Amino acid sequence: MTATVDKTKRIERWYFGGVASAMAACCTHPLDLLKLTYSMTRFAVYDFGRKSLTRDRRAMPFYEKVGLAGLAGAMGGFVGTPADMINVRMQNDVKLPPEQRRAYKHAIDGLVRVIREEGPLKLFNGATMATTRAVCVTVGQLACYDQIKGMLLGTPLFKKDNEMLHFASSFTAGGIATLLTMPLDVMKTRMMNAPPGTYSSIFACFKDIAVNGPQGFFKGFMPAFVRLGPHTVLTFMFLEQIRMNFGDDPPQKH
């Protein structure tokens, strides 16, 4: 007789996170499909590190999850910077005067033209901000999702690894990720909308916002959560289903 395998114990493959994130982007923000490179990298690095660190023990402590997620986010943010830049340019093109519009035909055309017209280094313009934000997002999403899921699974309310557990864990992780990224997003928006020469550095912008207290960094939380929250929920809901149905079976004990 063939042994029955518990699907909830199946092991995800390195590319599942990227596929799940792309599926979530189809539902929330189709243009964000340009950043598949970003999500694929951070999920793959986190998954590889988690498997390596848990090979000889049952679970990772939370501080290791945060450190690993931070590393994965930094790598993903850097790799995804070119696609993110093209994404921003394509969205903002309609706001420019006709003579200043770049009119990229598609994402690949944008990448090729930037390399040809401005040089390859231009693709990484803004990498510092993008990488820092990616660290915050990944810690909030991956590390916190893992931690919250494990904590809830040990309570009477969630005795099984099922869709309700995935939803509750990802919804909470989405809220935490939004909180962690909001200060950076507020500063980025303030600097982009300010007249030229207003801020000499991001630290100058930070001091200007801080004058009104910490709440200034979290202005517009609900609109930010409406963007990041559903994407986080859908990403992990898809990821868990992909893992359960297409993941590798766990090693059998003899």
Side-chain angles (χ1 to χ4, degrees), residues 161-242:
D161 189 351
N162 55 24
E163 289 80 3
M164 287 302 298
L165 174 66
H166 305 157
F167 177 82
S169 303
S170 58
F171 184 86
T172 308
I176 295 173
T178 304
L179 282 173
L180 291 176
T181 57
M182 277 224 64
L184 286 173
D185 288 341
V186 169
M187 287 189 288
K188 180 181 178 181
T189 302
R190 179 75 68 92
M191 293 180 72
M192 289 177 63
N193 293 330
T198 301
Y199 299 115
S200 58
S201 65
I202 191 170
F203 184 66
C205 180
F206 175 86
K207 291 195 298 184
D208 184 42
I209 298 172
V211 170
N212 298 317
Q215 66 273 14
F217 292 100
F218 299 95
K219 186 177 181 180
F221 174 82
M222 285 309 300
F225 178 74
V226 167
R227 175 180 174 83
L228 186 58
H231 183 270
T232 302
V233 170
L234 288 169
T235 294
F236 284 106
M237 294 291 285
F238 286 137
L239 176 60
E240 295 285 10
Q241 290 303 311
I242 294 171

Side-chain angles (χ1 to χ4, degrees), residues 69 135-145 148 172-174 176-177 180 232:
V135 169
C136 295
V137 171
T138 309
V139 169
Q141 288 183 328
L142 275 67
C144 290
Y145 176 81
I148 293 165
T172 308
I176 295 173
L180 291 176
T232 302

Side-chain angles (χ1 to χ4, degrees), residues 119-171:
L121 289 179
K122 189 67 176 180
L123 289 173
F124 294 91
N125 191 36
T128 301
M129 179 68 77
T131 299
T132 304
R133 187 182 188 279
V135 169
C136 295
V137 171
T138 309
V139 169
Q141 288 183 328
L142 275 67
C144 290
Y145 176 81
D146 266 359
Q147 187 71 13
I148 293 165
K149 180 182 175 183
M151 292 170 62
L152 291 179
L153 198 54
T155 66
L157 292 175
F158 299 93
K159 295 181 179 180
K160 294 183 179 180
D161 189 351
N162 55 24
E163 289 80 3
M164 287 302 298
L165 174 66
H166 305 157
F167 177 82
S169 303
S170 58
F171 184 86

